[in-house]
């Protein structure tokens, strides 16, 4: 029998990221950004629960990364797309970083993650907000 997890968010990147990058793709210079947005839209999936953060991505969605809240030291949030979506950068104890790109509802998710980190570690998470 597995441990129950309550899912806060499960889904892919924000659709606005894909739309804007496709529009930018009509200029030849931004073609790599367009390809990156298409790959993210097809294969990238986020799952944020009360126990961990799971990110499935990579080529054909074969890579999976799981992080427990006790390992998180710092979270940075960067608004994108006029603040409709954003990027989250999670720094772990071993100084490695995990980037979560084009996260919808990123402010709510950031607050939820910061609350869970504070619950697990007993101290508030270092927060950095880029403007």
């Amino acid at each position: 029998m597995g441990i129950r997890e309550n899912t806060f968010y499960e889904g892919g990147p924000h659709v606005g990221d894909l739309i804007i990058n496709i529009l930018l793709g009509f200029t030849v210079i931004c073609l790599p950004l367009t390809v990156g947005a298409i790959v993210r839209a097809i294969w990238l999936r986020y799952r944020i629960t009360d126990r961990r953060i799971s990110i499935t991505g990579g080529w054909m969605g074969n890579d999976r990364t799981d992080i427990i809240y006790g390992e998180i030291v710092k979270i940075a949030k960067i608004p994108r797309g006029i603040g409709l979506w954003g990027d989250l950068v999670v720094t772990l104890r071993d100084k490695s970083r995990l980037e979560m790109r084009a996260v919808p509802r990123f402010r709510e998710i950031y607050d939820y993650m910061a609350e869970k980190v504070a619950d697990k570690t007993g101290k508030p998470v270092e927060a950095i907000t880029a403007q």
Side-chain angles (χ1 to χ4, degrees):
M1 184 168 156
I3 299 172
R4 289 194 183 263
E5 292 184 73
N6 296 322
T7 302
F8 180 75
Y9 174 77
E10 188 169 6
H14 195 277
V15 71
D17 176 55
L18 177 64
I19 292 169
I20 286 179
N21 280 302
I22 286 175
L23 292 175
L24 288 174
F26 290 118
T27 65
V28 176
I29 295 172
C30 294
L31 227 60
L33 299 175
T34 303
V35 171
I38 291 169
V39 169
R40 277 194 304 273
I42 293 171
W43 291 314
L44 182 63
R45 294 292 172 259
Y46 302 116
R47 184 166 190 243
I48 298 166
T49 69
D50 58 347
R51 297 181 48 90
R52 63 186 162 161
I53 301 166
S54 296
I55 301 170
T56 305
W59 186 251
M60 304 285 287
N62 289 331
D63 296 333
R64 180 175 169 168
T65 303
D66 290 322
I67 299 171
I68 58 172
Y69 292 110
E71 293 293 317
I72 297 175
V73 175
K74 181 170 48 173
I75 304 171
K77 61 180 176 179
I78 301 103
R80 302 273 189 229
I82 315 169
L84 296 175
W85 65 89
D87 297 348
L88 296 173
V89 180
V90 178
T91 306
L92 304 177
R93 273 192 220 161
D94 64 354
K95 307 291 185 212
S96 62
R97 293 185 178 146
L98 178 71
E99 293 183 16
M100 300 169 64
R101 296 192 175 255
V103 178
R105 298 176 22 209
F106 76 101
R107 288 182 184 92
E108 293 173 42
I109 291 172
Y110 169 82
D111 292 339
Y112 182 81
M113 288 169 43
E115 176 186 326
K116 291 298 175 186
V117 169
D119 289 348
K120 297 291 182 191
T121 62
K123 52 187 172 182
V125 66
E126 269 187 65
I128 297 175
T129 305
Q131 298 296 329

